[in-house]
Each structure stands twice: as structure tokens, then as C-alpha cells.
Amino acid sequence: MRNTGILKAAQENEGDQDQGTWHRHSYPISRFLPAVLGGLIFATVVPILVTSYLINRSNADALLSARAELLVDGLENQLRGLLDPVTSQLEVARIYIEGRSLDVEDETRFQTYIEGILGGAPQVTSMGIIRPDGSMRRWELGRDGAIEEPTRALPLVDEVLAAAQELSGVFWSAPIVASALSDTILNPGITIRRDGEFYGILTVGVTGKRLSDYVAGLSHDNVTGFILYDRDKLIAYPELSNVVRAQDSSKLPTIADSTSSVIRHIWSEQNRLTQASRMVRTEGHWANIDGAKHAFFYREIEGYAPENLLVGVAVPLAESMWFRWAAAIAAALGFVLLLVAVGFATLLGRRIALPVVQLENALGKLEAMDFGDVSMPAVKRSRITEWQRSAERLAKAARALAAFNQYVPGKLARRLMSSPEDAAMAQQRDVTVMFIDLEGFSVYAANNQAADVANGLNTIFATIGPIIEHTGGVIDKYTGDGLMAFWGAPDELKDHVSPALAAALNIKEALSEGLIDGAARRLPRMRIGISTGSAIVGNLGFEGRWNYTLVGQTVNRAEQVEQNLRGFLPDRPVIIGLTTEVAKLCGAHGLPLDAKSTCVNDDDIVIL
């Protein structure tokens, strides 16, 4: 038997869904859509935030590295600007002395030359010549005349003389502290030869005051500059004048003598700095000092002392933290905005999904044949045109189905929607059939107004229809002044006789009172015939106009029983006739029957 095109399309659509796997992992759109929107935002924004954070962090490290190198460059430039001109003056003086243009023994002329040098180079505090025997003649800035130092009065003079004879250029002795000046003195010197013979050492004393002044100016609450000799001796330091030195005042104070805990603990820890790898000529580390982290940036300078000088700065890491925090704050702000965007996307997704949920709920009501409320005000107010149109069309479909439901049994309609192929397929089925008819209705209709006749019929049908459906029966058709109903199809019932008999008895009880006392008491009496047995159930008709019904001897027998009751026991407003098969099954199911089989119009019928 063929089905309609609508039923075929529905079946094919369901078959496609059964073959797929998506329904095994389906999710509500109210969760799925916000999750997709939020996931897309996360997938798009998080890489950008992470990349931006890494770039900003890298830029912060680069800026800190550049700043550190600039500070160290400044110290190095000051050091070189102080000491390099002195080496040039020594080389020029050597040329004059070795060429006999300048005679050390000519005291007046040499004094004039020395004063010229000291006046043009304020960092030079003194100048002198050490003779081969270890004695020394020197001149000091602001003092007239030379000062004679006795033989070997200078510390380590023999070692200096021995080393100088092997050298040809400028060399540097170890720095010392001049107690009279309260300052560090750096001692460059140059070997003098005449006619190939060692003549002496021309030496100068270079004060570190200008370096200390520069370091003091560079140092403030956030930066501390320093110049060290041999990595632990103080050459220049902001509070160098306050340093308590050892008893031998010529010795340099060490970092242990410093009044600053930052300088004292410069080498206490040497933790690696992340930006150290970005610096070209500068090294660095950080240390935890008095509960605060400090970064040290430094550079070794060769050629101004027997050991290298170390120039550098100390910076609290809190000073640089804002560079790092700027990247972290920017990333955190980005994540906050991301969460706001995800929250907004979630709300938007739910708002967009709401009409779909409403449509699904409305379709569920239609599937359950509940046409009471399928209107969707939120959808109708939506700014999305498709939602509004879908709502309007669904409302129209609901009204159409509601009207359709007036003509098709609800149980059958639900069965057709849930399983159209099985419901429409013709099959042999055991059923119980009921025929109802009003005796003498033609005469009644001829003697009353049409409206009164219609109202009377509708009153009776409004009473018996719900009774039939409440007991699981299906009203197959109305026959003018009667109807045909059946039990056991489309849903198969093991016991279809009992509900049919219960429906008949309930109808009898309800309408007996109505026919006597109500406005419908003038209606003809009602005959009810019930039979049970096998029948063919399914779609009958042709393409475009099908009728779900049943045919067979059982149907004919129920109608025959109802017809044979005509005129029998006319005083009863409602008379019920059962076939003997129905009566036997009722007894087998324990239903009380106080009637016996009676021959009515040559037919054995059980009267109730």
C-alpha cells in the first residue's frame, strides 16, 4: 500500500538521521551555540593576547637592557674621558724629555711645563719623575716648587722600577687612597730613556673625584653607580668619603667597608637576569638584599690598572617591574575583555538560540497534538526576519493541524507523526468495534429545526466522544446520527474488549440521565452494538485521499448487532448489544455481566 508524499519524506528524513552519528553526541543549542561563539573568540583572541604579552615582555627586556647599557656606557665614558687625556700627556712629555727639549734638571722650565699640564687637566693632582735610584721629584697642583722624596720612600718602588724597565708604553700601578685628599688616586706612568739608557719613570696622580662626583650624580633612590677595582675594592662610590678605611690609608676600601648594603652584598647572590642575554658588552645578575631584589649591570674595563676596573650600576628590580607589569597588566586587561566578550557572546548565543528552543518546544507540542499554545511572542518580537516568519508559519501550521485534528483521531494523528509507515500499513489485527446509532432520528429531524437537531447531536457527541477516547478508543467516522469506533488499533492492545465495554456502560450512564432530565430528552434513544474479532486495519483509498479505517466481518457484525436492536426494549433510552464472543471475553477478564444471550431478530445478542 502506498503512502502520501509527506509520509515518505518524513520517513526518508528519519532514515537519514538514523544512519548518521551526530545524534549520538547532540547538545542543546542553548549550550552549543554559546560554546561555539565563546570557543571561536577564545581561539582567535588568546593567541593574540599570548603573542602580545610575549612581544611586550620581550620589548620590556630589550628596553631594560638598553637602559642598563646606557647607564654603564655613561660610567665607562666618564672613566675614559678622565684617564685617556692623561696617557696622551704622558706620551707627549716623554717625547720632550727624551728629545732633551725638556730638561728635568731645569727646575724653572720644568715647573712651568708641569703647571701647564696641571692647569689644563684638573683631574691630575701631581706629576713627578722617579729616578733609577728610587728617589723622586714631584710637583703638586697649587704648590710652588718641587718636592724631593728620599730614596725608596715610595711603597713598592723597586718592583715598579724593575717592571718599568721592561715596558715601553704607558703602564698603570695599583690605585691607592690619598689620605690628604680623601680621594682615590690612579697612577699611570711611562718609562723615560735617553740614548738607550733607562732615565726614570714619569708618573702622574689622577684623582677619582670627578668619577665619584659623576657616580654620586648618577646615583639616586633607584640607581646606585659604582666603580670597583679587582671586583671588590672601591674606586668610585656615592658615599666614598664616609667609608671607614683600614689603618693603612693608602689601601683601597673594599665593598665590605661600604655604607650601602646593596654594594656590600653585590656578590652575595648571582642569579641570572632574563635580559642579560640581550646585552652586548654588559653583564648582569640579581640578588635578594634585605628582602628586596636588586639587579646589577656591570662591565670590565682593561688598561687602567694591573687588574681590570669594573664599572656598573645597581637598580632595584621594583624599578623595572613596571615594565614587566605593563605587559602583564595589558595581558590581564586583554583577558578581562576576553571574558567580557565571551560573556556577551554567551548571552548573545542564548538570545539567538532562544527562538530555536521555542520553535523546538512548539514542535514538541504539535507532535503531542497539543494545539493550545504554540504562539511565541519572543520570536515574533525578534529583529531577525527568519525567526518572525518561522513563528508566523508555525502558528499557521498549528492552526491547520488543530483544524485537521478535528477530522482525524488524535491517537492516529500522533501515531502517523511518530511512525507513519507502521501506522499506515495495512495489517490483520484483533480489534473490538462499536457502532452507535440514534433510533428514529429521521422522523426526529423532520419534526425539528435544523439548528436544534445539530445542537442536539453535538451535545450527545460531546458527551460520548471523550468517553471513547478516554478508554483508548478511536472514533473512525461519524454516520450522521451515529458513529463507528474501535479499540486495538493503531496501538495494539492485549485486552481491547474491556475498555470498549467500559466505554459503552459509561455512555449509557451519562446519556440515560441526559435523555430524561436534560434539554436533549426529546432525542431518540441510542443503540450500541459491539463485536470483537479480526479485521484489516490501515490506509484505504487512493493517492491524495486516504482514510485510515478497518474493514472485515467484525465491522459488519458490530453494525449488524446495532441494527438488530431496532425496536427491541423501546423503553430503554440507551440499549447495548454484545456478540456472544464479546460476552465470553468480558467474563474471562472478570467483568460482571448480569445479562444472558437473547435472540433478537434471529441473532444471539447479549443485552445490557
Side-chain angles (χ1 to χ4, degrees), residues 468-485:
I468 293 173
E469 292 187 346
H470 180 72
T471 56
V474 176
I475 298 176
D476 180 80
K477 64 175 70 71
Y478 290 96
T479 58
D481 58 341
L483 60 80
M484 169 187 167

Side-chain angles (χ1 to χ4, degrees), residues 98-151:
E98 290 182 345
R100 301 180 185 276
S101 299
L102 183 62
D103 190 354
V104 177
E105 302 302 328
D106 187 349
E107 186 171 336
T108 302
R109 188 175 179 187
F110 198 80
Q111 173 82 27
T112 303
Y113 179 77
I114 293 298
E115 289 178 351
I117 291 177
L118 296 179
Q123 68 269 35
V124 178
T125 59
S126 64
M127 189 170 187
I129 185 164
I130 302 174
R131 302 182 183 95
D133 62 359
S135 63
M136 178 181 182
R137 172 176 283 189
R138 63 184 177 86
W139 291 262
E140 291 184 356
L141 181 65
R143 179 172 181 157
D144 294 333
I147 301 173
E148 285 289 342
E149 298 285 355
T151 302

Side-chain angles (χ1 to χ4, degrees), residues 260-325:
S260 169
S261 61
V262 174
I263 299 299
R264 285 199 306 271
H265 298 92
I266 183 173
W267 307 117
S268 61
E269 296 181 21
Q270 297 187 49
N271 302 302
R272 180 181 177 275
L273 287 169
T274 57
Q275 65 266 32
S277 60
R278 295 178 174 273
M279 296 185 289
V280 179
R281 300 173 52 230
T282 305
E283 301 177 72
H285 70 271
W286 69 268
N288 197 335
I289 302 172
D290 297 335
K293 295 179 179 179
H294 287 75
F296 297 91
F297 304 95
Y298 41 84
R299 181 183 306 160
E300 290 190 348
I301 307 298
E302 298 178 351
Y304 298 112
E307 301 294 337
N308 293 338
L309 299 180
L310 192 75
V311 298
V313 293
V315 182
L317 281 181
E319 169 76 6
S320 61
M321 285 304 293
W322 76 271
F323 283 100
R324 299 175 179 275
W325 279 111

